[in-house]
Amino acid sequence: MLVIQNGRVVDPKNQLDQICDLYIKNGKIAAIGQAPEGQSISQSIDASGKVVIPGLIDLCAHVREPGYTQKATIASETAAAVAGGITTLVTPPTTKPVVDNPAVAELIIDRAEATGLAHVLPMGALTQGLQGEQLSPMHALSSSGCVAFSNARHAIPSALVLLRCLEYAATHDFLVIFQPQDHELAAKGCMHDDTTCTRLGLAGIPETAETVEVARCLLLVEQTGVRAHFGQLSAERSVRMVTDARKLGLRVTADVSIHHLLLTDVNVNGFNSLFHVIPPLRSQLDRAGLLHGLVTDGIQAICSDHQPHDPAAKQAPFAATEPGISGLETLLPLGLMLVKQQLLSLPELIEKLTSAPASILQINKGSLGIGSDADICIFDPETQWQLTDENCISAGKNSPFMGVPLQGKVIHTLINGKTVFQA
């Protein structure tokens, strides 16, 4: 039996926040506080001064495999995930080939299991080839391990096709994840359409590119009763619309990427392509709206929206670069910035990173209750460090937070009671 001793155990699902011991046997949580009778301790981890939490669950992280292994692989990104305390990550269907048949879903799951690090849960494509024209074989994909269905940021121009997708998903109680963007309004834009954008002479993406699509999806969700999740919202009005829908009783949830909580369009001022993301970094008002949604439960979860790139993808004029930030290893320390700024309490942050994502996905993860899988993150809240090209484990080094002082470092990550990362 393994014991994690003297750590501050924070488990929001079970309303636990105290210094105590955690006992693990056969990959499960066996006891909290008092040792089970008649059990001998074979291994111990001293967590004095550390925080012990459930392993983080990341609702959107691209692993790039199959198809884009010049950017990253399942092996490289699951290694980065466990270094960041993330034990489960959900990966979009935008691989090559697309996750629109069971063989691709099974390939991703099998490769992740063979690597033996973080659990990787694929989203299935909502339409075949993400083309927005024909339904994918959702039932077969679900049977092969897909936890949700999404068309990612690929358009479904026909409201009728989208309606049919949602009707089918509702019939089987499948989760549909929207990454809302109206492609005609977004056009060839690369940053938020506002004064900074005008001054820089870049093509803008108005907030209506997101809110128009959110409105369309919400109306169809209301009509079908499907279980729906809005991923990586960036606009204050989007949060208000989803919050109002929840008040009406719709089964909708939302998440936000950590960088949208910390950065705004002003950060793009120097044409630094590391700040090129889709959805774009929005205004200070939008950022305030996202933070407000976070504390009022309009937004349930925080994700990394991890998108690793090879160096060439970011070495071009701003508008010509590929959007996305490599974010697995900085998800927790950047979240702790919100705690330091007193925008969230530590248990509230941990809930947004663990039990809330698990609840959205309806998976038995994200808690330290007796009998739960021993997927655990232990971090030192006081350790100060910086992410650099040398210590970044992800194959993607494209982070604007490189060299930024961070506080809070993962010391141990356990999956099914086995240590898979140790600093």
Side-chain angles (χ1 to χ4, degrees):
M1 176 174 282
L2 165 67
V3 59
I4 300 172
Q5 297 174 308
N6 305 318
R8 177 185 172 186
V9 179
V10 180
D11 178 10
K13 186 175 181 183
N14 293 297
Q15 290 159 355
L16 182 66
D17 183 0
Q18 65 185 60
I19 294 173
C20 59
D21 296 346
L22 202 61
Y23 296 87
I24 298 159
K25 187 176 183 184
N26 298 330
K28 306 282 187 185
I29 307 293
I32 300 168
Q34 293 285 92
E37 287 186 21
Q39 298 288 341
S40 59
I41 305 300
S42 59
Q43 188 184 356
S44 66
I45 296 174
D46 182 12
S48 301
K50 315 292 190 295
V51 181
V52 181
I53 61 173
L56 309 189
I57 300 171
D58 192 345
L59 286 173
C60 188
H62 297 250
V63 293
R64 301 300 192 197
E65 190 179 354
Y68 300 98
T69 50
Q70 79 278 11
K71 294 180 182 291
T73 63
I74 288 171
S76 69
E77 302 319 286
T78 53
V82 295
I86 299 165
T87 54
T88 301
L89 50 86
V90 180
T91 191
T94 51
T95 48
K96 189 177 180 182
V98 166
V99 187
D100 63 358
N101 71 77
V104 183
E106 288 164 9
L107 171 74
I108 292 169
I109 293 168
D110 289 349
R111 291 221 174 140
E113 286 179 353
T115 304
L117 297 172
H119 307 289
V120 177
L121 307 178
M123 296 183 210
L126 196 58
T127 61
Q128 290 182 24
L130 299 174
Q131 297 293 309
E133 294 170 359
Q134 292 181 302
L135 275 67
S136 69
M138 286 188 239
H139 200 276
L141 288 166
S142 175
S143 300
S144 298
C146 290
V147 290
F149 296 91
S150 176
N151 226 55
R153 293 193 175 88
H154 294 255
I156 303 180
S158 167
L160 180 62
V161 171
L162 181 54
L163 176 66
R164 295 288 179 256
C165 290
L166 301 189
E167 285 175 338
Y168 186 87
T171 302
H172 297 279
D173 198 31
F174 295 149
L175 174 67
V176 174
I177 296 180
F178 299 111
Q179 292 178 314
Q181 177 175 275
D182 182 294
H183 282 251
E184 290 185 352
L185 285 169
K188 294 187 172 127
C190 60
M191 71 170 290
H192 177 55
D193 191 10
D194 207 344
T195 53
T196 304
C197 170
T198 305
R199 192 174 69 251
L200 296 176
L202 294 171
I205 302 175
E207 73 155 36
T208 48
E210 178 171 293
T211 54
V212 164
E213 185 64 10
V214 169
R216 180 175 85 133
C217 293
L218 282 173
L219 287 168
L220 295 177
V221 168
E222 185 176 14
Q223 183 171 336
T224 58
V226 72
R227 198 158 49 93
H229 177 77
F230 288 83
Q232 301 86 64
L233 294 181
S234 67
E236 182 266 345
R237 186 160 186 181
S238 300
V239 179
R240 274 194 283 133
M241 291 160 71
V242 172
T243 302
D244 290 345
R246 284 171 63 80
K247 288 176 183 172
L248 289 172
L250 271 62
R251 297 193 297 166
V252 293
T253 49
D255 72 58
V256 61
S257 67
I258 187 64
H259 46 265
H260 279 93
L261 296 171
L262 296 169
L263 304 171
T264 68
D265 61 334
V266 175
N267 292 100
V268 182
N269 223 0
F271 294 102
N272 184 344
S273 64
L274 294 176
F275 294 100
H276 182 193
V277 291
I278 298 293
L281 300 172
R282 298 278 181 196
S283 68
Q284 190 63 44
L285 180 66
D286 286 309
R287 176 175 171 262
L290 295 174
L291 289 165
H292 181 262
L294 208 58
V295 298
T296 57
D297 206 39
I299 293 174
Q300 288 69 46
I302 301 172
C303 74
S304 70
D305 195 14
H306 172 70
Q307 297 181 47
H309 285 298
D310 52 299
K314 290 290 187 180
Q315 292 170 354
F318 187 90
T321 58
E322 292 186 53
I325 286 173
S326 177
L328 292 175
E329 291 156 86
T330 52
L331 178 58
L332 180 59
L334 293 178
L336 291 170
M337 284 186 182
L338 302 176
V339 176
K340 196 167 186 179
Q341 294 167 8
Q342 299 186 325
L343 296 165
L344 290 174
S345 68
L346 181 62
E348 284 171 337
L349 172 69
I350 301 311
E351 180 193 10
K352 303 288 184 190
L353 294 169
T354 59
S355 56
S359 175
I360 290 164
L361 297 169
Q362 294 188 353
I363 58 174
N364 187 24
K365 300 276 184 190
S367 92
L368 298 175
I370 307 297
S372 300
D373 291 343
D375 292 353
I376 298 169
C377 166
I378 305 172
F379 70 92
D380 186 336
E382 301 302 323
T383 296
Q384 297 188 335
W385 64 289
Q386 293 181 1
L387 185 70
T388 64
D389 278 357
E390 289 71 37
N391 66 18
C392 179
I393 295 173
S394 168
K397 314 301 180 188
N398 51 299
S399 170
F401 299 103
M402 287 280 186
V404 172
L406 302 170
Q407 186 168 327
K409 186 86 171 71
V410 174
I411 305 300
H412 282 83
T413 304
L414 289 79
I415 291 182
N416 296 326
K418 293 182 180 175
T419 299
V420 291
F421 172 78
Q422 183 171 351

